Amino acid sequence: MPAPVDIHTEANIKLLIDSFYDKVNQDELLAPIFNGFAHVNWATHLPTMYDFWSSLLLGTGRYRGRPFPKHLPLPIDATHFQRWLALFRATVDEHFAGPKADEAKQRALNIATVFEYRIRQYNSLSIL
């Protein structure tokens, strides 16, 4: 088996995202959120995620969205973010190694941390 390469190309981004969401779709905690509650349209979601991670890791600037508001109505908590992060890290480690792979895992941690915090803050205010 060849040594893992770092994340440097659009093909690497696509492999990362496709492999990660394959895991998500098989996960007993996350699959119902994505497919049951959010009814994700994978044909549009995956290209959006390619753009998002390409922008973050390759500096392409293709992503022009606001990801947080779409997550706000989801019935998710720290457990969901921990699972999401564990699957993401495992996917990176399965396919890649190097500074960009490390950056991908750090960015995922930052995203999960901020989203979980903001959702918790929003939900705590909703009782007012």
Side-chain angles (χ1 to χ4, degrees):
M1 180 176 204
V5 298
D6 205 357
I7 302 169
H8 290 296
T9 68
E10 294 297 331
N12 297 150
I13 298 290
K14 187 173 186 317
L15 174 63
L16 170 62
I17 298 308
D18 289 347
S19 300
F20 170 65
Y21 282 107
D22 283 347
K23 286 179 176 37
V24 166
N25 275 305
Q26 295 173 32
D27 187 80
E28 68 279 355
L29 180 65
L30 298 180
I33 299 297
F34 280 83
N35 297 309
F37 188 86
H39 302 288
V40 169
N41 177 338
W42 293 105
T44 58
H45 186 67
L46 290 174
T48 300
M49 292 299 92
Y50 304 150
D51 289 348
F52 179 79
W53 286 99
S54 176
S55 292
L56 287 180
L57 298 176
L58 304 180
T60 61
R62 288 198 324 250
Y63 181 75
R64 295 276 187 245
R66 292 180 49 219
F68 180 73
K70 296 173 184 168
H71 293 80
L72 202 50
L74 301 177
I76 53 179
D77 59 26
T79 306
H80 297 90
F81 285 105
Q82 289 165 1
R83 180 74 56 83
W84 179 90
L85 186 58
L87 293 178
F88 190 87
R89 286 175 171 163
T91 305
V92 171
D93 289 342
E94 283 174 19
H95 298 284
F96 305 102
K100 283 290 179 185
D102 293 341
E103 180 184 344
K105 292 185 286 186
Q106 185 60 50
R107 287 184 178 263
L109 172 62
N110 294 347
I111 291 165
T113 301
V114 169
F115 278 29
E116 191 272 329
Y117 174 79
R118 289 180 68 191
I119 286 172
R120 188 169 15 97
Q121 293 303 109
Y122 179 84
N123 288 338
S124 71
L125 295 175
S126 66
I127 60 170
L128 299 176

